Amino acid sequence: MKIVEMVMPPMGESIMECTVLHLLAKAGDKVSIDDSILEVATDKVDTEVPCPFSGVLAEWLVKESEVVPIGSPVARIEVEDNVNAEAVQPNNPPANGQPDIKINNVPEAIDVEATAALLEKDYEEALSKKAEPVLEYAANSPESNIFYSPLVLSIARQEHISPTELATIPGTGAENRVTKNDIFSFLDNRNKQVEPALPVATSLNGSNEIIEMDRMRKMISQRMIESRRISAHVTSFIETDMTPVVQWREHTKAEYRKKTGDSITFTPILIEAVVKAIKDYPMINISVDGDKIIKKKDINIGMAVALPDGNLIVPVIHRADQYDLPGLARKVNDLAKRARENKLKADDLAGGTYTVSNIGAFANLMGTPIIVQPQVAIMAFGAIKKKPAVIETPQGDLLGIRSLMFISHSYDHRVVDGSLGGLFLKRVNDYLENFDTHRTIL
């Protein structure tokens, strides 16, 4: 038997560290390949980490609530002598977020010593660089030579933490750097110190309950406020005749459930219409970087999902234009199910270029959702209601009962003018009103 180290695997695009939430196994427990042995949290998702070996968990190298860099050792596992640890340990993550696998006995055309020297030089230069100022007026402060991550700087700006205060926060990250958890702990303690100064009668009178925000709610709050600050939100509305879609779904859903064991909801139909409209108006599928507009080639649709605890999460259908309607239905059901079971991976939440929210699921008629940064638009679909409506025919106008739905389109007026925002909304409307009721999904 021999001891091998398990390292923290890649968690998705741009994720450099994660927080250990729970250790799911104890020292001395038998473990198998792909057994979930710890649960971690990143800025994007909580997820379970599988074990890459079969053997006995000899020792944990991390503790709960500890912030752990990607690629660092987290546990020692006792395995059979013939197990090749290097063959299953993840290397640096490629662009798609999936770990590479080292293959032994294959010569690498790389000068290892030269590469190591370059990496060490880059690392030393990064440590010696002056950090960007926490606040605009702090660029020349004596504290500004300390390195802080962009996330920490963003939180500091939003919470109005002065450079002097930031410099006093003890860091628990690598090289004693301040992590997001350190800054959240500082804010919690600062708030607790302020609260006693308030008269007890005005804050607690026995009739109110104080509920601490959980980590995800704090994250959502931070991102929503930041989005309102960044983007110039404008919202347009349209009322869409969903009668053809409703009639087709009523005719199809029983057979679909019988053959697939799953439901066909309105969401994949709505997403299909949005994808078609993005192809017609690709300048909706953009993001903003300073004074530059980045036009995205891939159409990655985020879909807002309400979680059982009341929080919200937005998994992404990557390259949604490559799915037909049956494929979209399967993808929507899969992501929604895994979101509610807390089984999403970090990559499931990364790379969205446009987001939709089906607020009609809560019987809401319309809404004005907040844009998911760095996207520039978001669409909300309201409840479908039967209403009397005028029906235009070659023989004249008739009064009939139609299934109508409000659609709202919120967009960033910095880069999306009213004409583009309105035309895009109208095109989604047209694809839904002209839905082919003779199409099949099985």
Side-chain angles (χ1 to χ4, degrees):
M1 304 290 283
K2 65 179 180 180
I3 300 293
V4 297
E5 285 189 342
M6 170 186 168
V7 302
M8 185 64 71
M11 289 290 151
E13 181 184 18
S14 76
I15 303 297
M16 303 303 295
E17 64 182 20
C18 58
T19 302
V20 177
L21 295 180
H22 302 291
L23 302 178
L24 305 178
K26 302 187 298 294
D29 286 353
K30 290 185 177 180
V31 293
S32 300
I33 293 177
D34 292 334
D35 282 353
S36 294
I37 62 171
L38 74 159
E39 184 181 4
V40 301
T42 71
D43 290 341
K44 297 180 178 179
V45 69
D46 296 353
T47 187
E48 293 180 354
V49 177
C51 182
F53 309 108
S54 290
V56 176
L57 179 60
E59 178 188 6
W60 280 113
L61 303 177
V62 295
K63 302 185 296 291
E64 293 184 355
S65 301
E66 183 177 347
V67 178
V68 180
I70 299 301
S72 63
V74 296
R76 291 192 176 98
I77 300 174
E78 188 176 13
V79 300
E80 297 291 340
D81 290 334
N82 59 357
V83 171
N84 188 336
E86 290 188 348
V88 293
Q89 286 284 40
N91 201 346
N92 292 329
N96 63 4
Q98 299 298 321
D100 289 336
I101 301 298
K102 292 183 179 179
I103 302 176
N104 292 320
N105 303 321
V106 178
E108 299 182 5
I110 298 176
D111 188 334
V112 176
E113 291 186 1
T115 302
L118 286 174
L119 289 173
E120 185 175 355
K121 179 183 177 183
D122 290 343
Y123 178 71
E124 293 297 333
E125 288 178 354
L127 290 178
S128 64
K129 284 182 179 177
K130 291 185 73 173
E132 60 178 282
V134 175
L135 300 171
E136 280 71 15
Y137 56 78
N140 297 317
S141 67
E143 294 86 3
S144 63
N145 62 348
I146 303 173
F147 179 84
Y148 298 107
S149 71
L151 175 60
V152 167
L153 292 173
S154 175
I155 298 171
R157 290 190 187 95
Q158 181 186 329
E159 300 293 339
H160 304 290
I161 298 174
S162 69
T164 302
E165 286 181 303
L166 189 59
T168 65
I169 300 175
T172 61
E175 304 291 332
N176 296 320
R177 294 178 188 173
V178 175
T179 68
K180 64 180 185 301
N181 288 339
D182 298 330
I183 203 167
F184 284 147
S185 296
F186 170 80
L187 289 170
D188 288 342
N189 292 330
R190 185 171 71 174
N191 292 337
K192 289 176 182 176
Q193 292 171 5
V194 171
E195 285 171 4
L198 297 173
V200 174
T202 62
S203 61
L204 289 175
N205 58 13
S207 62
N208 299 323
E209 179 185 2
I210 297 177
I211 301 173
E212 194 71 31
M213 285 187 186
D214 61 21
R215 189 184 59 82
M216 182 173 286
R217 177 50 53 187
K218 290 179 181 177
M219 192 185 308
I220 292 171
S221 175
Q222 173 192 337
R223 290 177 178 173
M224 294 299 97
I225 293 172
E226 189 74 2
S227 181
R228 295 292 293 185
R229 184 188 68 80
I230 292 172
S231 295
H233 282 65
V234 175
T235 305
S236 299
F237 299 89
I238 198 168
E239 191 172 28
T240 300
D241 188 349
M242 291 286 288
T243 306
V245 173
V246 171
Q247 291 176 343
W248 177 85
R249 179 176 174 272
E250 285 297 319
H251 178 74
T252 305
K253 64 181 184 180
E255 184 181 2
Y256 184 83
R257 179 174 289 278
K258 180 179 178 181
K259 292 189 176 181
T260 67
D262 216 336
S263 59
I264 173 68
T265 66
F266 288 108
T267 301
I269 302 170
L270 301 174
I271 290 176
E272 181 189 55
V274 169
V275 169
K276 289 180 178 179
I278 289 176
K279 288 183 175 180
D280 297 335
Y281 294 99
M283 286 305 291
I284 283 289
N285 201 49
I286 64 173
S287 64
V288 180
D289 182 11
D291 294 331
K292 296 182 177 62
I293 294 174
I294 302 172
K295 186 177 178 183
K296 303 300 180 71
K297 292 182 179 180
D298 292 338
I299 299 176
N300 301 334
I301 303 296
M303 46 175 269
V305 177
L307 300 177
D309 61 4
N311 286 322
L312 184 74
I313 201 165
V314 185
V316 177
I317 303 175
H318 296 93
R319 298 181 178 86
D321 54 317
Q322 297 183 10
Y323 292 92
D324 57 8
L325 186 56
L328 283 174
R330 290 190 295 271
K331 193 68 177 177
V332 165
N333 290 335
D334 171 62
L335 286 175
K337 181 175 183 291
R338 289 196 287 121
R340 295 182 182 114
E341 295 175 351
N342 196 29
K343 292 183 178 179
L344 290 174
K345 304 299 182 184
D347 285 343
D348 293 325
L349 303 172
T353 62
Y354 189 94
T355 297
V356 300
S357 180
N358 187 4
I359 62 175
F362 310 108
N364 296 170
L365 291 178
M366 65 179 72
T368 55
I370 297 176
I371 297 167
V372 178
Q373 296 297 325
Q375 301 167 32
V376 300
I378 183 172
M379 186 165 286
F381 299 95
I384 300 172
K385 297 288 187 180
K386 288 185 178 181
K387 301 178 184 178
V390 175
I391 305 170
E392 297 179 359
T393 72
Q395 293 75 33
D397 294 344
L398 302 173
L399 190 64
I401 303 298
R402 308 295 287 179
S403 296
L404 302 180
M405 175 184 72
F406 284 106
I407 306 176
S408 60
H409 184 216
S410 296
Y411 46 92
D412 187 345
H413 214 344
R414 295 179 303 163
V415 288
V416 180
D417 291 330
S419 58
L420 174 58
L423 287 170
F424 178 79
L425 176 60
K426 178 63 165 59
R427 186 58 55 88
V428 174
N429 168 87
D430 293 346
Y431 279 124
L432 292 171
E433 291 194 339
N434 296 292
F435 185 85
D436 180 8
T437 57
H438 300 291
R439 68 191 298 182
T440 60
I441 194 173
L442 297 169

